[in-house]
Amino acid sequence: MKNDLTPEAVSVPGFKACALFCGIKKENKDLTLITCEKGAVAAAVFTTNLSKAAPVIVSQENMKQPLVHAVVINSGNANACNGQRGLDDAKRTTVKTGELLGVDPSSVIVSSTGVIGVPLPIEKLESGIEKAIPMLKSDGLVEAAEGIMTTDTFRKLSAKSVALPESGVTVQIVGFSKGSGMIHPNMATMLGVTLTDANIEKEVFQTLQKESTDVTFNMISVDGDTSTNDMSLALSSCEAGNPPLKPGTKDYEVFKEAFIDLQKTLAKLIAKDGEGASKLIQVKINGARTEKDARLLARSVTTSSLVKAAIFGRDANWGRVLCAMGYAGGMFNPDLVDLYFESEFGSIQLMEKGAGLIFDEDKALKILESDTIDIVAQLGEGEASAEAWGCDLTYEYVKINGEYRS
């Protein structure tokens, strides 16, 4: 699921970006800057964690502005739980960026990711922003995707060209995100940015971003921890030349499908790259009474430590799946459930109409050798469905997080 898109393949008209090392981390790029000279229409969703990081608080306020001119993201330090100093540092970042670009600081979005409770080395960040300005380029989004990484083992990046059938205009959509641990979004992803040049109004864009989040980033889990810094930001330069996208039109529906599909790709890449993970788990709930029920059931299975451990151990312990569904809060009748484990090595039914089946253990073991495992539950109660993504729980996850600050 990794992709290695070239810089030329991921540019979006109206945007420039770059990333560099400014000394917040011990090594590797740790500062990303994205700009839109004319200003971008913006939509965003933020963490519901009450312990919000300072950049989340500042950016939520700045999102009230009609246009965004710049986004500054640092990795290696979350600037969370730092009291008034954290807020002051987040605001200083917007002021410094605004001064250098000649724009209002309130049109600058800031975001941070990394260790919680450590003061942000603001002087290093400000110096880095000064160095970044002349480095900005239209094909800098590949760098940007690298600059936001922390414990990620690869960059999460996706790009699409979408032909709008009514206007005849082709628009670009590029997205990148980061996330490997502390992944259990309840609004958005850990950090994610989606850029487009499609002409779209702010209110319509915000509605689309929320709808997409509900079925993409909000349907992944690595470890059940909702971050203090979660943010998923969407920006449009509106330079494509199409009439403003309106719900109910063919152009909007085509764009919406592509936009959601791109963010779903990013969400799955995050789940695939869970800290220490060796397997991607895809949970598919079909035949539910309502979509809400299906989402609750699917997400509960991806969150279950027992399910995750079983998949790591290649143990077809399907009872753990039914247990996780049972406490999910979604309504279903266990006596109607058909349950399957599937991968590229085949499919095996483990449960029929609420009762366990005698199955071939060797076949199940072979299926679970894959690095992508589908857990499929047919509920037989309605037409609603949902899909969620997670990863297995390995010894390496404990090792990574036991040594996170060292």
Side-chain angles (χ1 to χ4, degrees):
M1 291 184 66
K2 301 179 185 180
N3 61 40
D4 293 311
L5 296 170
T6 63
E8 295 77 17
V10 293
S11 62
V12 177
F15 292 101
K16 293 182 178 180
C18 69
L20 54 82
F21 172 71
C22 72
I24 297 176
K25 294 196 297 191
K26 295 178 181 178
E27 58 183 356
N28 300 322
K29 296 181 177 72
D30 54 14
L31 171 62
T32 290
L33 177 63
I34 305 166
T35 63
C36 183
E37 185 176 358
K38 296 179 180 178
V41 173
V45 280
F46 297 89
T47 184
T48 57
N49 191 316
L50 293 180
S51 299
K52 288 181 174 62
V56 169
I57 296 171
V58 171
S59 292
Q60 282 182 310
E61 181 63 28
N62 290 357
M63 278 296 298
K64 297 176 183 178
Q65 298 300 315
L67 296 174
V68 165
H69 286 93
V71 181
V72 180
I73 306 172
N74 75 269
S75 59
N77 185 301
N79 192 16
C81 304
N82 286 324
Q84 186 60 46
R85 172 172 174 171
L87 286 171
D88 292 343
D89 286 344
K91 291 175 182 177
R92 274 183 65 173
T93 305
T94 69
V95 170
K96 183 68 172 182
T97 306
E99 289 176 350
L100 291 171
L101 292 175
V103 300
D104 192 321
S106 65
S107 70
V108 178
I109 299 299
V110 290
S111 185
S112 301
T113 179
V115 179
I116 294 171
V118 177
L120 183 68
I122 187 64
E123 291 81 10
K124 291 181 179 180
L125 183 58
E126 289 180 324
S127 177
I129 296 170
E130 290 181 0
K131 295 176 183 177
I133 300 295
M135 296 173 60
L136 288 164
K137 51 188 178 293
S138 59
D139 61 353
L141 294 178
V142 170
E143 286 184 16
E146 296 170 352
I148 67 173
M149 293 166 57
T150 51
T151 56
D152 306 65
T153 63
F154 61 86
R155 65 184 178 223
K156 288 87 175 168
L157 181 69
S158 185
K160 287 180 176 290
S161 292
V162 184
L164 303 180
E166 293 176 321
S167 63
V169 173
T170 297
V171 302
Q172 308 301 319
I173 313 174
V174 171
F176 59 93
S177 60
K178 65 83 52 182
S180 193
M182 199 178 282
I183 308 301
H184 188 70
N186 189 17
M187 43 87 271
T189 180
M190 298 29 64
L191 288 184
V193 179
T194 304
L195 307 176
T196 183
D197 60 347
N199 188 8
I200 188 169
E201 295 174 352
K202 188 177 180 71
E203 185 176 349
V204 176
F205 207 18
Q206 181 62 45
T207 299
L208 173 57
Q209 175 72 335
K210 180 63 172 64
E211 289 179 358
S212 180
T213 295
D214 285 342
V215 296
T216 59
F217 296 122
N218 269 357
M219 296 303 290
I220 61 175
S221 182
V222 168
D223 48 22
D225 283 314
T226 297
S227 172
T228 55
N229 291 60
D230 287 351
M231 180 183 77
S232 181
L233 176 69
L235 300 172
S236 178
S237 65
C238 297
E239 291 194 4
N242 60 289
L245 293 170
K246 301 289 185 183
T249 65
K250 185 64 175 176
D251 277 0
Y252 177 81
E253 294 305 319
V254 168
F255 178 79
K256 176 181 177 179
E257 181 179 359
F259 185 89
I260 293 175
D261 185 64
L262 181 139
Q263 292 196 339
K264 184 178 292 185
T265 295
L266 296 176
K268 292 170 72 173
L269 287 170
I270 290 171
K272 176 74 172 179
D273 195 30
E275 287 177 341
S278 65
K279 299 179 186 295
L280 172 67
I281 302 172
Q282 302 185 135
V283 179
K284 302 174 181 180
I285 303 294
N286 300 317
R289 302 177 192 181
T290 69
E291 187 174 352
K292 179 181 178 181
D293 290 327
R295 289 181 186 174
L296 287 170
L297 296 169
R299 203 169 186 214
S300 183
V301 176
T302 62
T303 307
S304 168
S305 295
L306 290 176
V307 171
K308 291 154 65 71
I311 296 299
F312 169 64
R314 296 165 59 204
D315 179 9
N317 193 344
W318 59 267
R320 293 179 175 182
V321 176
L322 265 292
C323 178
M325 291 170 60
Y327 59 67
M331 297 303 297
F332 76 106
N333 183 349
D335 293 332
L336 298 179
V337 175
D338 294 342
L339 185 67
Y340 304 81
F341 283 2
E342 300 177 348
S343 75
E344 77 267 31
F345 299 129
S347 173
I348 190 165
Q349 186 171 2
L350 308 167
M351 184 180 190
E352 183 176 16
K353 295 296 183 289
L357 298 173
I358 297 174
F359 60 90
D360 185 335
E361 291 282 0
D362 289 336
K363 180 179 180 181
L365 194 65
K366 180 63 178 178
I367 289 169
L368 293 174
E369 284 182 0
S370 174
D371 61 5
T372 300
I373 306 298
D374 291 352
I375 299 175
V376 183
Q378 306 285 355
L379 306 189
E381 297 188 72
E383 300 298 322
S385 63
E387 188 169 349
W389 305 276
C391 60
D392 57 346
L393 180 60
T394 70
Y395 308 128
E396 187 66 16
Y397 175 85
V398 178
K399 185 176 186 297
I400 290 169
N401 283 282
E403 302 172 351
Y404 189 76
R405 294 198 306 156
S406 58

